[in-house]
Amino acid sequence: MTTSLSRDLIFLIMQFLDEEKFKETVHILQQESGMFFSAKHFEDLILCGKWEEVEQYLSGFTKVDDNRYSMKIFFEIRKQKYLEALDKLDRTKALDILTKDLKVFSSFNEDLFKEITQLLTLDNFRENDQLSTYRDAKTARSIMLIELKKLIEANPLLCDKLQFPNIKSSRLRMLINQSLNWQHSLCPNPRQNPDIKTLMVDHSCRNSTDPYTQLAANNQLMISAQKTEGFIPVSANGSFQPASTSVQVPLNVWVTTPSNMNHQLVSGGVGLGGQSNPTAVSKGLLGSDMSMARVSAVSDRIIIPGMNPSQNGFQFNMTEELPKTVARTLNQGSVTTSMDFHPVQQTLLLAGTNIGDISLWEVSSREKLASRNFQVWDIGASSMALKAALIKDPSVSVRRILWSPDGSLFVVAFFPSRSWISKHMLQLYTYFGGNDVRHHLEIDSHVGSVNDLAFCNPSKQLSVITCGDDKTIKVWDVGTGVKLYTFEGHEAAVHSVCPHYKENVHFFFSTSVDGKIKAWLYDMMGSRVDYHAPGRSCATMAYSADGKRLFSCGTTKEGESHMVEWNENEGTVKRTYQGFYKRYLGVVQFDTAKNRFLAAGDDYSIKFWDMENCILLLTVDAEGGLPASPRIRFNKEGSLLAVSANENKIKILATVDGLRLMRTYETHSHIAPRPPPSDAPAMNGDSKKSEDTRAKSTEEVNPVRAGQLTEISTPAQFRALKLSARFQTDRIGRLIYTNSGNALLALAFNAIHLLWKWPQNDLNLSGKATTKITPQLVQPASGILMTNHLIEGNSVETVPCFALSKNDSYIMSASGGKISLFNMMSFKKMITFMSPPPVATYLAFHPQDNNIIAIGMDDSTVYIYNVRLDEVKSKLKGHSKKVTGLAFSHLLNILVSSGADAQIIVWDLNNWERKNGCFLQTAAGRTPTARSDTQIQFQQDQTHLLAVNSTQLAIYDVRKLECIKQLAIGESSARITHGIFSCDSQLVCTSFMDGTVRIFSSSNLQLQCQISPTAYLASDVSPTVHPLAVAAHPQEPNQFAIGLTDGSVYVFEPIESEGKWDVVPQPQRIESGSASTIAPQSAVSDQPKPQPQG
């Protein structure tokens, strides 16, 4: 098993062989090392029909029975070889291939093997219906390659080996030259022009005693050293310590002198190519034996290892991206044991304590929005062991608290305050916004404490995975509380779980207190991997935010902490991070941020590392007052860091972006939580008795504030940015932000896509969309535009629609013709499918499987299409007119569709059958429209749905399919063109045909802000120009974008000093006509339950 440095060396040798034109040799090395799969070489072999070489090359990376993808690859190759032999009428060879190569597949699919065998009896195998379109070998090989590429990219044994590392040209020669320069600098009598004839022995100059020659040689090497990169000594038998130096420094000084090293940065977001990594130092200055002084009295102590205060450079730029400024201090009231930031509203913090309390904080305003004490919700349903334990001693602590991926739920795991108490409680809460926190489920989960938990989707439904002192791991259905799986195999208490998935293969890691690490699939076949954590430490594992890198951090019984990065493919430690305090009795906590940084609470401080560098990057003591190993938690963007502190406090550390984020929320009133239906019973005994019965401090739940309507009619009242395009564009039909929030994608009615991307620079450190920086219109050097297929001569107006994959890599799109799949990086059209009729009118990716897509059609049907298999899994019928909206709820496991027939239908994801349906209600006194294109979107809680058409906004509780709020527009008022939730679901941004943009509170559909077209459109613009599409930023709740009928796109934000679109106004009467007089209060009503339609 190769080490990290050995792997690098093999890649360098491959590069060298390729540059030296040793083509065959480099392919042999690829095959024998199994480290890089050359898709181009593989393709060339197939197109040339060199089948023996094809299999020989492929066998270096995978075998037939490794997995289903490998099996399919080998089968397709051998089947093509078989067909070509039959086509040449070489039946002897065909029979040999059948018996030797294809026979192995008979045990997996006997019917298929029999069908292949029968081809030998045909004079022409094209007589078989499935092979009737077979033309010739050359064409068949090309078609087969398309399928093979998909299989290779999906194969977990091959997908990570398709990209050759980004290495500077002639890198191996450069390293050798650096080594020779270094050897030459150590010569006692260096010559000015050394004659180096061999690499087999170390270089040494002899017979040179001229002082002038020595000086000249040294000067020459100094200049040379400035042009080369830092040297990393490699130990053949152990780990290495990064260090570098200018070659003229004597050896005894070099060992203890820090200097800068250049390495290319690796980042999950927008990169800063060409910059250097943090300063590295040798073990002599900051080695593993170093023990830092524990100074807590010094304000804001910041230590940058290996850097003097007078030094400048990229080191400081990198540390500026770390949260090190104490921005807020919260008084929790008891010792904090676990924290988690909301995944969308990134200034909301959950905290659990050592006395079982949980609190919900808005950190920007220091408000405690909600607080709960530990209490068993249904003591009668609890086990006898739990009842006995509660009677004996009711004390309990929070072990872990965690938000669900969308922030609509959170779960709390408890553990006993005394080791002899057997408590095993898990509680799930539903979050409806503001201070509305309600009981959802209570589960007796483990015998002994619940040590860790996480959310997962092993069977395309949201679940929670838990582990405990009883040495088991269990998986629970979040909707019902039913236990789905139980995993056994650990010999000690299970300490943590880390679920993940790749290519739709779901798995998880688990660690135990005896230092064991196991990996599991959800197939109940036992653990697939079993090895020890470094130092046999009690460890926690976590992936980087992009899911590409795996880390663990733990502490041994002797108090030594180990934080490492793992090579998943090999099960080896790829990198070990240095700088921990040597003796600690607890378990160090760690977290990751920005796909770039690691942080851990250690030695009364917070320590930061760059993921690419083993050496400690930065130490911050947060103005002192931290415990020996503080609890830490980043928010999703890494701009805020919550840190547990002494005296029952929580400190919030922030970056520049984090400070800006908190300013945005600080004056933003929390929208009142959505009221429950009048007949809704209390859940699980959720009543005032379950609230905190102690006297509330002034920091606990504060009332909601109210304000006045904001009317914006001039550009000075808000921030608007018009995005420029280099060519004339048509009306903008669809608009969406990328999930990363750094780009905006539009689809015009002429089938052309426009992508604007914001740069990451000193004025925009996060690289996110903002009105302060003008984005760049992205267009590849090839000049290719992402253009959809159009039907020539089609008199019917096109219906633009698209759906973006979760990782922003692919977009599915249609404009009245075939559906196209584009690569967002290259703009390349990868595939087209589904020729009309019918015409696609709406697209939506399945929330758990990007290969499944729901397609609304103009013939009123909904297709459930599997992209990988190129087949329609199901065709849903229920609408009477074209489908205009689709929305998935992974929490409820449903698909909701809406149509031009004003109908909403709910479909079950398990069998794709209709569950319920209703028609949008027409407000009293309102004339029904003949056609009503209805758009839908789920609220953040995944149970409430926004429905928008030209005459109304409505909020539905999908669980009962009842309308709970409705806003109707007056008969003579401008029609609605589009409406969408903000990312936190607190606001609804709506565009109108008169050019007005209105922002409503989602809790009561009252108008908060009204933007007149005079505020953003020039005076010479036609009065008929108006918005057709609205998009909401995925992380900034007050940022929206609109696409207009003249092809322009605008981004809107409130002015920075306000950071909000104001708050709920006083009720006003809706009047028809003037846009400035429209207020929704009189048209908003609590709706009776509609009559279900089947």
Side-chain angles (χ1 to χ4, degrees), residues 231-246:
F231 170 69
I232 302 177
V234 181
S235 171
N237 299 315
S239 60
F240 66 95
Q241 294 285 342
S244 67
T245 181
S246 298

PDB file of all heavy atoms in Angstrom, residues 231-246:
ATOM      1  N   PHE A 231      11.987  23.116  -0.754  1.00  0.00           N
ATOM      2  CA  PHE A 231      12.342  21.700  -0.816  1.00  0.00           C
ATOM      3  C   PHE A 231      11.729  20.965   0.353  1.00  0.00           C
ATOM      4  O   PHE A 231      11.776  21.419   1.487  1.00  0.00           O
ATOM      5  CB  PHE A 231      13.871  21.575  -0.801  1.00  0.00           C
ATOM      6  CG  PHE A 231      14.346  20.165  -0.622  1.00  0.00           C
ATOM      7  CD1 PHE A 231      14.166  19.233  -1.627  1.00  0.00           C
ATOM      8  CD2 PHE A 231      14.979  19.778   0.547  1.00  0.00           C
ATOM      9  CE1 PHE A 231      14.608  17.938  -1.459  1.00  0.00           C
ATOM     10  CE2 PHE A 231      15.415  18.483   0.723  1.00  0.00           C
ATOM     11  CZ  PHE A 231      15.236  17.560  -0.294  1.00  0.00           C
ATOM     12  N   ILE A 232      11.126  19.801   0.079  1.00  0.00           N
ATOM     13  CA  ILE A 232      10.538  18.983   1.130  1.00  0.00           C
ATOM     14  C   ILE A 232      11.341  17.700   1.255  1.00  0.00           C
ATOM     15  O   ILE A 232      11.322  16.867   0.351  1.00  0.00           O
ATOM     16  CB  ILE A 232       9.078  18.643   0.819  1.00  0.00           C
ATOM     17  CG1 ILE A 232       8.276  19.937   0.635  1.00  0.00           C
ATOM     18  CG2 ILE A 232       8.466  17.788   1.901  1.00  0.00           C
ATOM     19  CD1 ILE A 232       6.844  19.698   0.254  1.00  0.00           C
ATOM     20  N   PRO A 233      12.108  17.515   2.332  1.00  0.00           N
ATOM     21  CA  PRO A 233      12.862  16.270   2.486  1.00  0.00           C
ATOM     22  C   PRO A 233      11.932  15.089   2.677  1.00  0.00           C
ATOM     23  O   PRO A 233      10.960  15.176   3.416  1.00  0.00           O
ATOM     24  CB  PRO A 233      13.713  16.517   3.740  1.00  0.00           C
ATOM     25  CG  PRO A 233      12.986  17.585   4.491  1.00  0.00           C
ATOM     26  CD  PRO A 233      12.290  18.429   3.478  1.00  0.00           C
ATOM     27  N   VAL A 234      12.200  13.987   2.025  1.00  0.00           N
ATOM     28  CA  VAL A 234      11.363  12.800   2.081  1.00  0.00           C
ATOM     29  C   VAL A 234      12.102  11.698   2.820  1.00  0.00           C
ATOM     30  O   VAL A 234      13.223  11.347   2.466  1.00  0.00           O
ATOM     31  CB  VAL A 234      10.992  12.331   0.663  1.00  0.00           C
ATOM     32  CG1 VAL A 234      10.104  11.108   0.743  1.00  0.00           C
ATOM     33  CG2 VAL A 234      10.289  13.442  -0.091  1.00  0.00           C
ATOM     34  N   SER A 235      11.459  11.159   3.852  1.00  0.00           N
ATOM     35  CA  SER A 235      12.039  10.034   4.568  1.00  0.00           C
ATOM     36  C   SER A 235      11.481   8.749   3.999  1.00  0.00           C
ATOM     37  O   SER A 235      10.287   8.607   3.815  1.00  0.00           O
ATOM     38  CB  SER A 235      11.704  10.137   6.066  1.00  0.00           C
ATOM     39  OG  SER A 235      12.076   8.969   6.727  1.00  0.00           O
ATOM     40  N   ALA A 236      12.331   7.819   3.732  1.00  0.00           N
ATOM     41  CA  ALA A 236      11.885   6.579   3.100  1.00  0.00           C
ATOM     42  C   ALA A 236      11.090   5.714   4.037  1.00  0.00           C
ATOM     43  O   ALA A 236      10.274   4.923   3.616  1.00  0.00           O
ATOM     44  CB  ALA A 236      13.108   5.811   2.586  1.00  0.00           C
ATOM     45  N   ASN A 237      11.285   5.853   5.329  1.00  0.00           N
ATOM     46  CA  ASN A 237      10.682   4.906   6.259  1.00  0.00           C
ATOM     47  C   ASN A 237       9.667   5.512   7.212  1.00  0.00           C
ATOM     48  O   ASN A 237       9.137   4.833   8.066  1.00  0.00           O
ATOM     49  CB  ASN A 237      11.785   4.230   7.102  1.00  0.00           C
ATOM     50  CG  ASN A 237      12.757   3.471   6.235  1.00  0.00           C
ATOM     51  OD1 ASN A 237      12.341   2.752   5.334  1.00  0.00           O
ATOM     52  ND2 ASN A 237      14.043   3.631   6.482  1.00  0.00           N
ATOM     53  N   GLY A 238       9.402   6.799   7.104  1.00  0.00           N
ATOM     54  CA  GLY A 238       8.479   7.388   8.063  1.00  0.00           C
ATOM     55  C   GLY A 238       7.829   8.629   7.525  1.00  0.00           C
ATOM     56  O   GLY A 238       7.862   8.920   6.346  1.00  0.00           O
ATOM     57  N   SER A 239       7.205   9.376   8.450  1.00  0.00           N
ATOM     58  CA  SER A 239       6.536  10.609   8.065  1.00  0.00           C
ATOM     59  C   SER A 239       7.568  11.676   7.787  1.00  0.00           C
ATOM     60  O   SER A 239       8.753  11.517   8.035  1.00  0.00           O
ATOM     61  CB  SER A 239       5.594  11.061   9.189  1.00  0.00           C
ATOM     62  OG  SER A 239       6.347  11.284  10.361  1.00  0.00           O
ATOM     63  N   PHE A 240       7.092  12.788   7.227  1.00  0.00           N
ATOM     64  CA  PHE A 240       8.032  13.846   6.883  1.00  0.00           C
ATOM     65  C   PHE A 240       7.619  15.139   7.569  1.00  0.00           C
ATOM     66  O   PHE A 240       6.476  15.343   7.899  1.00  0.00           O
ATOM     67  CB  PHE A 240       8.094  14.055   5.366  1.00  0.00           C
ATOM     68  CG  PHE A 240       6.820  14.574   4.779  1.00  0.00           C
ATOM     69  CD1 PHE A 240       6.638  15.932   4.570  1.00  0.00           C
ATOM     70  CD2 PHE A 240       5.794  13.708   4.446  1.00  0.00           C
ATOM     71  CE1 PHE A 240       5.455  16.413   4.042  1.00  0.00           C
ATOM     72  CE2 PHE A 240       4.607  14.188   3.911  1.00  0.00           C
ATOM     73  CZ  PHE A 240       4.445  15.538   3.712  1.00  0.00           C
ATOM     74  N   GLN A 241       8.596  16.023   7.753  1.00  0.00           N
ATOM     75  CA  GLN A 241       8.359  17.329   8.321  1.00  0.00           C
ATOM     76  C   GLN A 241       8.604  18.372   7.251  1.00  0.00           C
ATOM     77  O   GLN A 241       9.711  18.501   6.738  1.00  0.00           O
ATOM     78  CB  GLN A 241       9.322  17.597   9.495  1.00  0.00           C
ATOM     79  CG  GLN A 241       9.106  16.692  10.686  1.00  0.00           C
ATOM     80  CD  GLN A 241       7.876  17.091  11.446  1.00  0.00           C
ATOM     81  OE1 GLN A 241       7.388  18.187  11.304  1.00  0.00           O
ATOM     82  NE2 GLN A 241       7.343  16.194  12.249  1.00  0.00           N
ATOM     83  N   PRO A 242       7.573  19.147   6.854  1.00  0.00           N
ATOM     84  CA  PRO A 242       7.821  20.168   5.850  1.00  0.00           C
ATOM     85  C   PRO A 242       8.803  21.198   6.372  1.00  0.00           C
ATOM     86  O   PRO A 242       8.723  21.653   7.496  1.00  0.00           O
ATOM     87  CB  PRO A 242       6.432  20.788   5.640  1.00  0.00           C
ATOM     88  CG  PRO A 242       5.468  19.780   6.186  1.00  0.00           C
ATOM     89  CD  PRO A 242       6.195  19.079   7.265  1.00  0.00           C
ATOM     90  N   ALA A 243       9.711  21.592   5.530  1.00  0.00           N
ATOM     91  CA  ALA A 243      10.653  22.648   5.879  1.00  0.00           C
ATOM     92  C   ALA A 243      11.256  23.174   4.604  1.00  0.00           C
ATOM     93  O   ALA A 243      11.305  22.513   3.599  1.00  0.00           O
ATOM     94  CB  ALA A 243      11.740  22.112   6.798  1.00  0.00           C
ATOM     95  N   SER A 244      11.691  24.418   4.616  1.00  0.00           N
ATOM     96  CA  SER A 244      12.335  24.976   3.443  1.00  0.00           C
ATOM     97  C   SER A 244      13.313  26.046   3.865  1.00  0.00           C
ATOM     98  O   SER A 244      13.289  26.541   4.970  1.00  0.00           O
ATOM     99  CB  SER A 244      11.295  25.564   2.486  1.00  0.00           C
ATOM    100  OG  SER A 244      10.687  26.684   3.074  1.00  0.00           O
ATOM    101  N   THR A 245      14.157  26.410   2.939  1.00  0.00           N
ATOM    102  CA  THR A 245      15.199  27.377   3.269  1.00  0.00           C
ATOM    103  C   THR A 245      15.818  27.914   2.014  1.00  0.00           C
ATOM    104  O   THR A 245      15.749  27.309   0.948  1.00  0.00           O
ATOM    105  CB  THR A 245      16.296  26.707   4.115  1.00  0.00           C
ATOM    106  OG1 THR A 245      17.271  27.686   4.425  1.00  0.00           O
ATOM    107  CG2 THR A 245      16.942  25.554   3.402  1.00  0.00           C
ATOM    108  N   SER A 246      16.425  29.061   2.107  1.00  0.00           N
ATOM    109  CA  SER A 246      17.287  29.546   1.048  1.00  0.00           C
ATOM    110  C   SER A 246      18.580  28.772   1.149  1.00  0.00           C
ATOM    111  O   SER A 246      19.114  28.558   2.224  1.00  0.00           O
ATOM    112  CB  SER A 246      17.540  31.044   1.211  1.00  0.00           C
ATOM    113  OG  SER A 246      16.324  31.752   1.122  1.00  0.00           O
TER     114      SER A 246
END
